[in-house]
Amino acid sequence: MAKLDTFKSANEMIEARRPEQPVIGFRPHAAGQAARWFLENFQGDVAYAYKANSNVFLLGALYGAGIRHFDVASLPELEDAKTIPDVQFHFMHPVKSRHAIRRAFSLGCRSFSLDSEDELAKILHETKGAKDLVLWVRIAVPAKNSRVPLERKFGITGTKAARLLVKTRQVAKELGITFHVGSQTVTPDAYGSALEEVGRLIVKAGVLVNRIDVGGGFPSRYTNEQPTPLVEFMRVIHDGVDRLPVADGCRIMCEPGRALVAEAESLVVRVDARRGNDLFINDGSYGMLFDAAHLGFVFPVRLVGRTVPEPNVLKPFELWGPTCDSIDHMKGPFLLPDAIREGDYIEIGNTGAYARAIAGRFNGYGEYDEVIFQDPPMYSMYGTQLRSGAAA
Ligand SMILES: *Cc1c(COP(=O)(O)O)cnc(C)c1O
C-alpha cells in the first residue's frame, strides 16, 4: 500500500504543491472519531456501509477504530473486502444474483437481506438449505426529512411482510428485520416511526425476532443542513427498540455509511476561470461533486493557499465543473471571498461520503492526487461543531 504525504492542512499543501489535479485530502482522525463515537453510543453492532467509500486508507482507519461489521451490497464489494481479517459481512441488498449468493456463501457470509418470497427461495436454494443463516426481512418505511429517500425501490409492507416473516422464521437460524429511512435524514423521527411499524409487524406475524437493524441514514453536516445531534438519534432508536415485543437477547445493528466517512475527506480544487459569480473549477458533477449538482448539497467551502486583505467580504458563488456538459453545475450558493480569482484554490469540505465512489472518467477527468490532512474537518457532528473558515 503506497504511503500518502501528510500536510497540516489544505493551506500547507497548496503552498507546497500548487497541484494541477484536484486533490483528495484524507483525515483519518475524523473517520476514527466518527467510528469510535458510534461504537461507544450505539448499543449494538455498527456495520459500515461499504458503498459510501471503500478507499483502503479509510477502511484502515475505521478498522483501526474498532469497526468489525461491514454491510456490503454487491459481490464485487464483498470480494474487495474479504481480505479484512476478523470481520462479519452482511449482504444487505434485497435483490442478489444466484451467483452472488453462492459465492458470498462460499466466502463465509451467512447474513443476507430479502424483501420477497422469491428471494428467500433463491437464498435457500443457493446456500443448499444452510441451517446457520441470519436472514433479514427488509421492510419499507416512510422517509421523513431525508434528502435522499429510498422508499420506492426496496422493502415489503403489511400482510405480505407478515407472511414473509413467518416463512423466513421457519428457515432462519436468526430472524432479523431491517429498514432504511433514507440517506441524510436530518431528524430522528423516521427511526421512531419505523420502529413502531416494526413492532406492529412482529405482532401481526407472531414471530420471534432475534435481530433488528435500523439501517443507515444518519446525517452529516453541510452548509444548508443543521441536523439534530446524533445523541438524539441514539435516544429515539434505543427507546424505540426498548418498546419492541422481542426477547431480551435481541441484538441490534446499524449501518451508517455517510455519518462515518463524510467528514474524513475534503476535495481541493482550482479555479480555472471566474465570470462574475460563476467559478469554473477542475472537478464537478462527473467527479466528486455529484451530490452538489444533483441533490443540492451545499458543501462547506473555503479559500486556501492565499489570504485576502481585510475586509474579507464573502459572496455567493455558483460552481461549474470541467467537462463540456452544462449539467456539470453546482448551484450552491457557495460563500467565498469576493476577491477570489483564477488560479486560486478552494477546499470543499465533508466530501468523504459517496463522492469518491461515484466519480467517473467522463471527458478525461476524474484523476486525483491524494494526501493526508491533520487538521479538523470543516464541519463536524462529533465534538466541536463549527470550524473556523467554514461559513455557517
Ligand atoms: C446505502 C445504504 C446504507 C448507508 O446509508 P447512509 O445513508 O450512507 O448511512 C445502509 N444500509 C443500506 C441497506 C444501504 O443501502
Side-chain angles (χ1 to χ4, degrees), residues 130-389:
K131 297 284 180 281
D132 58 348
L133 299 180
V134 180
L135 297 179
W136 307 86
V137 172
R138 167 91 172 246
I139 65 164
V141 296
K144 291 183 181 174
N145 293 323
S146 161
R147 300 299 172 247
V148 195
L150 302 169
E151 56 197 324
R152 268 185 54 243
K153 189 159 181 180
F154 298 124
I156 189 168
T157 53
T159 308
K160 278 186 175 165
R163 201 162 56 221
L164 184 58
L165 281 167
V166 171
K167 288 210 161 175
T168 307
R169 172 74 278 173
Q170 289 162 0
V171 292
K173 180 173 179 217
E174 294 190 46
L175 172 65
I177 298 182
T178 182
F179 55 81
H180 195 302
V181 296
S183 204
Q184 185 64 11
T185 291
V186 294
T187 64
D189 24 323
Y191 293 89
S193 52
L195 286 166
E196 284 171 17
E197 180 57 23
V198 167
R200 282 190 290 272
L201 274 176
I202 293 175
V203 171
K204 196 175 171 109
V207 288
L208 180 76
V209 171
N210 311 99
R211 301 212 191 187
I212 301 292
D213 169 23
V214 299
F218 302 95
S220 184
R221 286 203 59 202
Y222 303 103
T223 298
N224 54 343
E225 307 274 24
Q226 282 286 353
T228 306
L230 288 173
V231 281
E232 270 303 298
F233 283 74
M234 297 298 130
R235 196 187 56 71
V236 168
I237 288 168
H238 293 141
D239 285 356
V241 169
D242 282 347
R243 280 195 286 269
L244 289 180
V246 289
D248 269 355
C250 181
R251 185 164 162 185
I252 66 170
M253 181 163 91
C254 65
E255 302 171 335
R258 179 186 307 283
L260 291 189
V261 299
E263 296 176 13
E265 285 179 359
S266 270
L267 174 70
V268 184
V269 296
R270 189 185 53 214
V271 178
D272 286 332
R274 173 173 178 178
R275 297 187 188 155
N277 290 340
D278 289 340
L279 300 177
F280 290 70
I281 59 175
N282 61 346
D283 198 36
S285 72
Y286 292 94
M288 287 184 52
L289 298 174
F290 180 98
D291 285 354
H294 301 299
L295 301 175
F297 282 34
V298 184
F299 294 102
V301 288
R302 63 186 166 199
L303 176 67
V304 289
R306 177 167 83 91
T307 44
V308 296
E310 295 294 327
N312 177 5
V313 182
L314 295 179
K315 280 217 162 156
F317 287 89
E318 298 187 21
L319 303 177
W320 296 84
T323 70
C324 300
D325 199 326
S326 62
I327 63 171
D328 195 357
H329 173 224
M330 288 64 64
K331 197 163 170 35
F334 298 97
L335 290 181
L336 286 160
D338 191 25
I340 199 162
R341 61 187 184 218
E342 186 259 319
D344 278 337
Y345 288 88
I346 302 168
E347 178 177 2
I348 303 177
N350 291 22
T351 54
Y354 299 105
R356 183 205 284 266
I358 290 174
R361 302 299 309 268
F362 180 51
N363 233 174
Y365 295 98
E367 284 223 24
Y368 303 89
D369 294 337
E370 278 184 58
V371 299
I372 287 177
F373 292 157
Q374 294 174 311
D375 60 342
M378 289 178 71
Y379 283 169
S380 186
M381 294 292 288
Y382 313 92
T384 314
Q385 289 281 302
L386 192 62
R387 294 294 176 176
S388 62

Side-chain angles (χ1 to χ4, degrees), residues 98 101-102 104-106 109-110 112 120-133 135:
R98 289 181 178 275
I101 297 167
R102 221 160 38 233
F105 185 74
S106 77
C109 181
R110 293 292 178 272
F112 298 91
L120 178 61
K122 240 158 86 182
I123 292 170
L124 292 177
H125 189 256
E126 299 306 329
T127 61
K128 303 199 165 53
K131 297 284 180 281
D132 58 348
L133 299 180
L135 297 179

